[in-house]
């Protein structure tokens, strides 16, 4: 049997390069790459995407929509790493650990939308708790996250790694208009009925994320505490290869969280920190914005598709 042909459209961007690197040397698939002179040629890109078995779109939103619209071959399957289709009901959301059925849905899907980096952490924390009724769907959620500067794309990377030396700030908060494009994605896939407040930031490190969600116990159902929240997450992710939930005794010993702790992996580490005296809980997620937050997740979804293809 001929090995499946995979085309990465936009393989010179940050995510595309990482996916290409992760797939390099694999014997179970073939990579289709356009010569440099043809990468921006719409006709050649359309020909390539219609000739492959699985296309991975590593493009800005509008070019990703155009690429998806150019597909006329019904056999072509797509993983879109942009945010163009993440709330589109016609696309399967590419977070395999989201629920017990999601991995199977991804494996069988024709169209998969890769999650955003920040939403991966927020949905991983909130989704199981909302589904279990431990966090009300209308809770006034606030999500704060600090990412490495690679989350800002090539321009941001150049600002820190360019030939003139680092030009980027040590820390910058953004999304101050509270209209970040990841917010509807978090609301929908976490099962919320009210728009969360999402506050993102970049730090002067290349990659990695620490994401936090604070909770007030007085706003949760009676009897819900840090232990019950932890137990729910622990049950939900039991057996998940790429999601870890820190044991309460381990979390109690943490003095800080390093956003770079899982760089280079496709892993996601969750934890619950509580202060019973003050009635407060902090949910946290640590992961690589270029791993589980982008290229690692895309390859994980690709592998589910390939396994289903036999």
């Amino acid at each position: 049997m001929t090995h499946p042909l995979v085309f990465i459209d936009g393989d010179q961007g940050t995510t595309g390069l990482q996916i290409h690197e992760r797939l390099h040397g694999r014997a179970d698939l073939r990579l289709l790459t356009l010569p440099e002179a043809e990468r921006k040629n719409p006709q050649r890109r359309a020909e390539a995407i219609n000739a492959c078995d699985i296309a991975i779109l590593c493009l800005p939103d509008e070019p990703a929509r155009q690429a998806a619209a150019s597909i006329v071959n019904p056999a072509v399957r797509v993983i879109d790493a942009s945010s163009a289709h993440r709330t589109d009901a016609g696309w399967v959301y590419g977070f395999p650990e989201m629920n017990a059925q999601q991995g199977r849905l991804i494996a069988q899907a024709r169209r998969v939308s890769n999650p955003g980096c920040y939403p991966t952490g927020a949905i991983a924390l909130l989704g199981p708790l909302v589904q279990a009724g431990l966090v009300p769907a209308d809770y006034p959620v606030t999500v704060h996250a600090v990412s490495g500067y690679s989350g800002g794309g090539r321009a941001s990377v150049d600002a820190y790694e360019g030939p003139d030396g680092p030009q980027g700030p040590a820390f910058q908060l953004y999304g101050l208009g509270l209209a970040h494009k990841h917010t509807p994605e978090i609301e929908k896939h976490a099962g919320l009925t009210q728009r969360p407040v999402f506050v993102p930031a970049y730090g002067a490190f290349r990659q990695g994320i620490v994401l936090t969600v604070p909770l007030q116990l007085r706003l949760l159902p009676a009897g819900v505490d840090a232990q019950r929240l932890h137990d729910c997450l622990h049950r939900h992710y039991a057996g998940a290869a790429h999601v870890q939930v820190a044991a309460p005794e381990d979390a109690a010993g943490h003095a800080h969280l390093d956003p770079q702790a899982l760089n280079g992996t496709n892993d996601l580490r969750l934890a619950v920190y509580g202060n019973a005296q003050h009635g407060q809980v902090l949910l946290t997620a640590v992961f690589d914005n270029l791993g589980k937050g982008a290229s690692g997740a895309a390859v994980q979804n690709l592998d589910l598709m390939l396994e289903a293809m036999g």
Side-chain angles (χ1 to χ4, degrees), residues 50-135:
N50 281 284
C52 72
D53 294 297
I54 301 175
I56 305 178
L57 309 181
C58 301
L59 304 165
D61 287 4
E62 188 52 36
R65 292 188 186 97
Q66 294 169 0
S70 73
I71 300 173
V72 295
N73 180 353
V76 174
R77 307 175 73 186
V78 181
I79 299 170
D80 182 11
S82 83
S83 62
H85 300 102
R86 290 176 185 160
T87 58
D88 189 324
W91 290 65
V92 172
Y93 194 61
F95 185 13
E97 297 90 353
M98 188 165 70
N99 57 54
Q101 297 79 38
Q102 205 67 15
R104 176 180 54 81
L105 293 175
I106 293 166
Q108 298 173 350
R110 291 289 171 189
R111 301 290 183 268
V112 172
S113 183
N114 223 47
C117 55
Y118 295 125
T120 295
I123 293 162
L125 289 167
L126 290 165
L129 303 179
V130 172
Q131 182 180 349
L134 301 183
V135 173

Side-chain angles (χ1 to χ4, degrees), residues 126-136 190 221 224 228-229 231-233 235-236:
L126 290 165
L129 303 179
V130 172
Q131 182 180 349
L134 301 183
V135 173
V224 175
R228 285 190 65 187
L229 295 172
D231 291 348
C232 178
L233 293 174
R235 285 193 303 271
H236 183 90

Side-chain angles (χ1 to χ4, degrees), residues 168-258:
F171 179 86
Q172 55 182 324
L173 201 69
Y174 68 106
L176 301 181
L178 301 179
H180 194 284
K181 66 181 181 179
H182 285 341
T183 308
E185 180 183 352
I186 295 171
E187 180 181 351
K188 176 177 180 177
H189 296 294
L192 301 172
T193 58
Q194 299 294 322
R195 181 182 177 91
V197 175
F198 174 48
V199 186
Y202 291 136
F205 54 97
R206 193 176 203 278
Q207 63 196 82
I209 287 179
V210 166
L211 179 143
T212 61
V213 180
L215 298 174
Q216 300 285 348
L217 292 180
R218 61 184 171 80
L219 300 180
L220 303 184
V224 175
D225 58 11
Q227 184 66 52
R228 285 190 65 187
L229 295 172
H230 165 271
D231 291 348
C232 178
L233 293 174
H234 180 73
R235 285 193 303 271
H236 183 90
Y237 295 109
H242 296 291
V243 182
Q244 311 152 13
V245 181
E249 57 270 24
D250 293 334
H254 295 166
H256 65 274
L257 292 175
D258 179 2

